[in-house]
Amino acid sequence: MPTKPRCVALVGPFQSGKTALFEAILKRAGAAGPGGRGEAKSVGDPSPEARAHQLSVEAVAATVDYLGDAYTFIDCPGSVEFSHAASLVLPACDVAVVVCEADERKTPQLEEVLRELEELGVPHLLFLNKIDAATGDVREALAELQKASRAPLMLRQLPIVTDGRVTGFVDLALDRAFDYREGDVSRTSDLPPAEVPHETEERFHLLETLADHDDRLMEDLIMEVEPEPGRIFADLTSELRENHAVSVLIGSAARENGITRLLKALRHEAPGIAETRARLGFAGEGPALAYAMKTAHPSFGGKITMARVLRGAFREGEDAIGAGGDARIAGLVSLFGEQTTRRGEAGEGEVAGFLKLDPVQSGAVFGAEAPREASPGPSAPAPMHAVSLHVRDRKDDVRLSAALSKLVEEDPSLFLESRPDLGELRLGGLGEMHLRVAAERLASRYQVAVTTERPGVGYRETLRAPASAHGRHRKQSGGHGQFGDVKIEVRPLERGAGFVFEDRIVGGAVPRQYIPSVETGVRAFAERGPLGAPLVDFAVALVDGSFHTVDSSDAAFQAAARIAMMEAMASAGSVLLEPILAVTVTAPASATAALTQLVSGRRGQILGYDALPGREDWIAFEALIPEAEMDGLVIQLRSATAGVGAFVSRFEKMAEAPAGSGDQSRTALRKTG
């Protein structure tokens, strides 16, 4: 009897072969597109950006039937720069297939993938890909993979090697050998006599791991009684669903080897929607409820929300209510990559596209009634790289705003920031490629071409010493002239004090109605100091002046104040200030020396480091780094940490820029001019 539809995420390190496995699974399931359109091989990475760069940049879903059961497979990006797409999908998935390979260079990335699954409690198994190209013993590969997993790994299949080439495998649970056939289902074969001792040893290791949570199986092993096959598979199912141990299956996605055994393992052992709902803490009874996994704004047709129905059913024309408000479901579609087919209903366990649910955001729950359940979706990660955006054609300014709004809704790990002080609109994200793809998508999907530049730096300047100055503005051009005369005293203040204006006029030397004009003139001057940056942390005292009963005016005293400030700054001298950021880097402890060198090379001050709570082999590295030195930090950090290092930053203080910062001063002039 068919089960309720199940949802399977394909995750793993960058370039481990997830998309190849995704397409191999669809082909083995006999899938074409909805309504019989398309081929499995054209489903993965459908966007032009993904195909141009040959990497997955978004989660892609396809629903298929396999042996009478419905499955939605979701191919998730492996690059850390697009990892938030996977984080949004995972909470509502029943199981994850972690695609990996025997490459120690990718172990740190694999550890991060497994860590997230472990923290979410998502059942998962490993698919050891590219077994046809593997060198070395599979047990050595398993030992390397074990470094990344807190749960014990169980090797389920043993490769059969003939003349140095992997030609098949032994299913240790079935105690049966299979020959690989490229592009086709493996067929049973006789186990080569030379493999029997190895197979016996590895099968015992598997059963021994299962026996850790099955006393009866342990008794069978002690008594040397062959366990019943049904008990072995019941234990494998329990281990997966309870996250006690992680099965490791082998294969080659490119050659379509190992696909059928993987599908059968999922069919017989993976949990379903009831278990996923319980894991999320949602009741089984109640009004219809769904979780939004992804948002898309295709070039035509309006917003599509990819969501999994956690409870009940939704129908076209019904209302959907979420934290952002309610909306009518304009339509429902089945998903097969970019292809969609209209449908009238989405039932429990199914993944479908909901049309025009404008108030619903990715990572949120929505329902037939206002959900009482808290959203299991993750918060967006802090940006680690930024660019300044500029439209190539001025007429696209208005369209840029609308396009960016859609882009950020599709990918919440993008971050928009307006910097009026620098005349910039900044786009932040998780890396250089992340932002490059975003800029390309603006052009390809929304027809808004942009250029990107390194962001400016929010320099400021202040006074070096106290000074006094006199400013007089006099102009006579027929009729009423202009006259304003002020004497001021200026002095620097402590960092962060801002601007203070003091009125010390006695005896009416400057009429009361013109004193605000003097302050206005000072403030206008402070918008751009002698070095080209805003003037901060200083006090101005108006101590004396004079006026003309006819020619004095608001404008005249503003002009006099500016003249006085120019004279005062010439005497006091200017100091260029640069913003300093407090940066917390999280990385493996083995990278401590590299981090020290990295921070020191960017004029940073190391504050110290501590063990990261819950991760003994990781550290939280604290430092102060000038904002001017932050560009490209994430690139070097990932290079030093096998791609897994990350950081968060916040403004800490303004500090005097080092002597000879001519380039910085010119940058301040250019960016604020």
Side-chain angles (χ1 to χ4, degrees):
M1 182 175 179
T3 62
K4 288 187 181 295
R6 282 184 277 196
C7 183
V8 182
L10 304 182
V11 297
F14 179 52
Q15 291 186 333
S16 57
K18 294 176 298 301
T19 301
L21 179 61
F22 177 62
E23 293 177 338
I25 286 172
L26 300 185
K27 181 179 177 183
R28 186 59 48 85
R37 304 191 312 273
E39 296 180 357
K41 199 167 184 180
S42 64
V43 179
D45 294 340
S47 74
E49 296 79 26
R51 299 198 171 188
H53 298 292
Q54 296 186 331
L55 82 165
S56 299
V57 300
E58 61 189 327
V60 178
T63 300
V64 296
D65 285 330
Y66 180 69
L67 299 180
D69 293 333
Y71 296 84
T72 296
F73 291 93
I74 304 179
D75 179 22
C76 299
S79 167
V80 292
E81 298 190 29
F82 301 93
S83 59
H84 191 58
S87 298
L88 287 167
V89 162
L90 285 173
C93 289
D94 299 320
V95 64
V97 175
V98 183
V99 187
C100 57
E101 54 188 303
D103 185 347
E104 63 179 5
R105 294 170 300 178
K106 294 185 178 181
T107 300
Q109 295 177 48
L110 177 62
E111 182 180 2
E112 290 303 284
V113 173
L114 292 176
R115 174 74 59 158
E116 182 173 17
L117 293 170
E118 291 161 358
E119 291 177 351
L120 290 172
V122 176
H124 52 282
L125 53 82
L126 265 61
F127 183 79
L128 181 55
N129 194 23
K130 306 179 185 179
I131 195 66
D132 54 321
T135 58
D137 185 78
V138 70
R139 177 57 63 180
E140 294 176 358
L142 192 71
E144 180 63 36
L145 297 175
Q146 184 64 69
K147 297 176 184 177
S149 175
R150 289 186 288 188
L153 302 183
M154 303 183 298
L155 186 65
R156 293 268 297 268
Q157 297 168 340
L158 189 67
I160 296 174
V161 180
T162 305
D163 298 330
R165 185 170 61 90
V166 176
T167 58
F169 68 97
V170 179
D171 189 310
L172 298 174
L174 286 172
D175 198 16
R176 188 181 303 164
F178 294 84
D179 285 337
Y180 284 142
R181 294 192 296 170
E182 185 167 349
D184 203 350
V185 178
S186 301
R187 62 187 174 193
T188 57
S189 64
D190 295 327
L191 180 64
E195 296 286 345
V196 172
H198 196 193
E199 188 271 347
T200 301
E201 179 184 0
E202 294 302 333
R203 188 167 192 267
F204 181 80
H205 283 314
L206 171 65
L207 298 178
E208 193 175 39
T209 302
L210 293 176
D212 287 341
H213 298 97
D214 184 341
D215 292 340
R216 182 177 168 186
L217 179 59
M218 180 64 75
E219 291 178 8
D220 287 347
L221 294 180
I222 293 173
M223 300 298 294
E224 298 185 355
V225 174
E226 176 64 25
E228 297 176 0
R231 172 162 293 279
I232 295 174
F233 283 100
D235 284 345
L236 287 170
T237 300
S238 175
E239 297 289 290
L240 172 64
R241 297 187 179 194
E242 297 178 21
N243 290 309
H244 289 319
V246 180
S247 292
V248 180
L249 288 80
I250 65 173
S252 170
R255 294 180 179 273
E256 300 176 25
N257 294 148
I259 308 304
T260 299
R261 300 315 308 172
L262 171 62
L263 284 169
K264 289 190 175 181
L266 292 172
R267 183 171 188 261
H268 294 294
E269 301 164 27
I273 186 61
E275 291 86 352
T276 298
R277 192 169 51 225
R279 170 169 55 82
L280 296 174
F282 297 166
E285 300 295 329
L289 184 72
Y291 170 79
M293 294 174 148
K294 175 187 173 183
T295 298
H297 287 277
S299 53
F300 57 89
K303 176 179 173 180
I304 300 178
T305 300
M306 184 177 90
R308 188 170 194 210
V309 181
L310 301 175
R311 186 175 63 216
F314 292 86
R315 297 167 186 81
E316 182 175 341
E318 293 180 342
D319 286 339
I321 304 171
D326 63 286
R328 187 172 296 276
I329 301 172
L332 292 163
V333 294
S334 297
L335 302 170
F336 194 82
E338 280 193 323
Q339 303 171 33
T340 61
T341 299
R342 292 297 288 254
R343 58 191 296 175
E345 178 179 308
E348 188 169 281
E350 292 186 308
V351 175
F354 290 68
L355 305 185
K356 299 185 179 180
L357 292 188
D358 292 336
V360 176
Q361 304 297 312
S362 298
V365 291
F366 61 93
E369 298 178 6
R372 295 186 297 272
E373 295 86 353
S375 171
S379 57
M384 290 183 278
H385 194 68
V387 294
S388 172
L389 289 179
H390 306 276
V391 291
R392 291 183 179 175
D393 191 329
R394 298 288 298 180
K395 74 177 188 304
D396 287 336
D397 267 329
V398 175
R399 295 173 59 208
L400 175 65
S401 177
L404 285 172
S405 177
K406 292 179 179 179
L407 204 63
V408 172
E409 187 179 20
E410 287 185 336
D411 183 356
S413 60
L414 292 172
F415 178 76
L416 279 177
E417 181 186 16
S418 177
R419 288 293 301 265
D421 59 323
L422 298 174
E424 292 184 342
L425 177 63
R426 289 183 181 178
L427 181 65
L430 301 182
E432 186 180 32
M433 181 59 72
H434 190 200
L435 299 184
R436 183 187 304 176
V437 167
E440 291 170 354
R441 185 157 287 182
L442 284 172
S444 65
R445 182 175 295 178
Y446 303 109
Q447 288 75 53
V448 179
V450 297
T451 58
T452 60
E453 296 179 359
R454 176 177 174 174
V457 177
Y459 291 107
R460 297 293 184 265
E461 57 182 282
T462 192
L463 289 68
R464 187 173 294 279
S468 300
H470 178 207
R472 173 175 290 181
H473 175 71
R474 173 183 286 172
K475 187 174 183 181
Q476 191 72 41
S477 58
H480 288 303
Q482 298 181 35
F483 182 84
D485 181 59
V486 297
K487 292 182 179 179
I488 61 172
E489 294 177 356
V490 300
R491 67 182 188 278
L493 298 176
E494 62 182 13
R495 297 287 181 266
F499 166 62
V500 175
F501 181 79
E502 301 170 354
D503 172 15
R504 298 186 193 169
I505 293 295
V506 294
V510 175
R512 309 305 302 172
Q513 68 267 30
Y514 296 136
I515 291 175
S517 304
V518 176
E519 181 178 357
T520 299
V522 172
R523 288 185 180 276
F525 176 86
E527 291 178 0
R528 182 182 172 90
L531 298 178
L535 191 62
V536 297
D537 302 338
F538 70 106
V540 173
L542 175 60
V543 297
D544 200 1
S546 61
F547 69 100
H548 190 279
T549 55
V550 175
D551 293 342
S552 289
S553 65
D554 170 73
F557 272 96
Q558 288 188 41
R562 290 193 293 269
I563 293 170
M565 283 299 299
M566 283 189 284
E567 183 180 322
M569 292 301 297
S571 301
S574 296
V575 177
L576 185 67
L577 303 176
E578 63 176 349
I580 305 296
L581 305 184
V583 180
T584 301
V585 179
T586 53
S590 58
T592 303
L595 295 180
T596 300
Q597 184 177 4
L598 187 60
V599 171
S600 299
R602 290 173 175 264
R603 295 193 290 120
Q605 176 188 352
I606 299 169
L607 302 179
Y609 55 89
D610 291 304
L612 195 64
R615 304 195 67 173
E616 296 178 359
D617 55 343
W618 277 56
I619 58 170
F621 193 97
E622 306 282 349
L624 298 177
I625 304 178
E627 183 183 359
E629 302 290 343
M630 292 294 291
D631 188 63
L633 174 63
V634 67
I635 299 171
Q636 288 187 308
L637 175 61
R638 287 182 179 143
S639 176
T641 61
V644 297
F647 70 85
V648 294
S649 63
R650 59 176 174 79
F651 174 79
E652 176 69 15
K653 63 181 180 179
M654 299 297 294
E656 183 174 347
S661 299
D663 291 341
Q664 295 174 342
S665 178
R666 285 190 291 274
T667 300
L669 284 164
R670 183 173 68 252
K671 292 292 184 181
T672 58

